Amino acid sequence: MIEETATVNSVEDDWVEVTSEIKSTCSSCQQIDTCGSGQVAKAFPQKNLSLRLPTKDFKPSLKVGDKVIIAIPQGRLMSSLARVYGLPLIFLITFSGIGQITIAQSTHEIFSILFGFIGGYLGFRLAKYIENQKNNQTNLAPYLLKKIPSSDIDVQIHSA
């Protein structure tokens, strides 16, 4: 399970809006001045991510300013990443192979390149279709895991 700490911004009947700070690991690296990713991280300052989450299954009462843990199931996230990155790559390689076989009958490598692009695009479209299915979207939706007691927050602040 992938977890993140967030702050409650507003509370409605069955919904709560939370904000989580987007963190970049580049800010703590010693190579930040010589790394391309570090330069990009410096160019785009850290921002906040706001989410609106349902509270119907969440038992503790929340108020503005409370700290909560939000989560996404890791297994579902990894399988989604495998589809999003894997399908276009598999299709690209497969279709490039088909194009390579057609080269044996032709003198141009353009068939392999063209078939590879077509395969990559078809893999992308298939991955997009699968990910846009309702059950996949709900499986990847973050949810409220638990409320952090205010005494734990005070301990974290004073120990830092």
Side-chain angles (χ1 to χ4, degrees):
M1 190 170 318
I2 299 173
E3 299 177 359
E4 181 70 32
T5 304
T7 305
V8 175
N9 288 343
S10 68
V11 179
E12 297 175 21
D13 292 334
D14 292 336
W15 296 92
V16 63
E17 184 177 319
V18 298
T19 301
S20 175
E21 186 177 321
I22 298 172
K23 299 172 189 76
S24 172
T25 57
C26 289
S27 60
S28 63
C29 180
Q30 295 176 350
Q31 302 297 324
I32 191 168
D33 292 329
T34 59
C35 172
S37 295
Q39 296 302 314
V40 171
K42 284 169 62 175
F44 297 102
Q46 294 180 355
K47 297 181 181 180
N48 293 329
L49 174 67
S50 293
L51 298 169
R52 190 168 187 244
L53 304 173
T55 59
K56 60 183 174 184
D57 296 331
F58 194 70
K59 299 297 179 203
S61 62
L62 296 173
K63 58 184 181 297
V64 175
D66 283 347
K67 297 285 185 180
V68 293
I69 303 289
I70 56 176
I72 297 176
Q74 186 173 2
R76 293 178 181 165
L77 180 63
M78 291 302 149
S79 63
S80 177
L81 289 173
R83 283 191 296 271
V84 168
Y85 288 104
L87 283 175
L89 186 60
I90 289 169
F91 272 59
L92 179 123
I93 292 169
T94 303
F95 276 65
S96 293
I98 292 169
Q100 189 69 30
I101 291 170
T102 61
I103 289 178
Q105 301 166 358
S106 175
T107 59
H108 297 288
E109 291 181 358
I110 192 72
F111 290 110
S112 180
I113 296 169
L114 183 63
F115 275 64
F117 279 126
I118 291 170
Y121 179 74
L122 290 176
F124 163 75
R125 296 298 297 181
L126 178 62
K128 184 175 179 181
Y129 173 77
I130 292 171
E131 290 302 312
N132 282 334
Q133 298 301 308
K134 181 77 171 162
N135 61 341
N136 283 330
Q137 289 181 352
T138 56
N139 286 342
L140 290 174
Y143 58 92
L144 293 168
L145 186 62
K146 64 181 176 180
K147 177 180 173 182
I148 300 174
S150 60
S151 60
D152 289 350
I153 296 170
D154 292 337
V155 169
Q156 289 175 1
I157 292 172
H158 293 300
S159 65

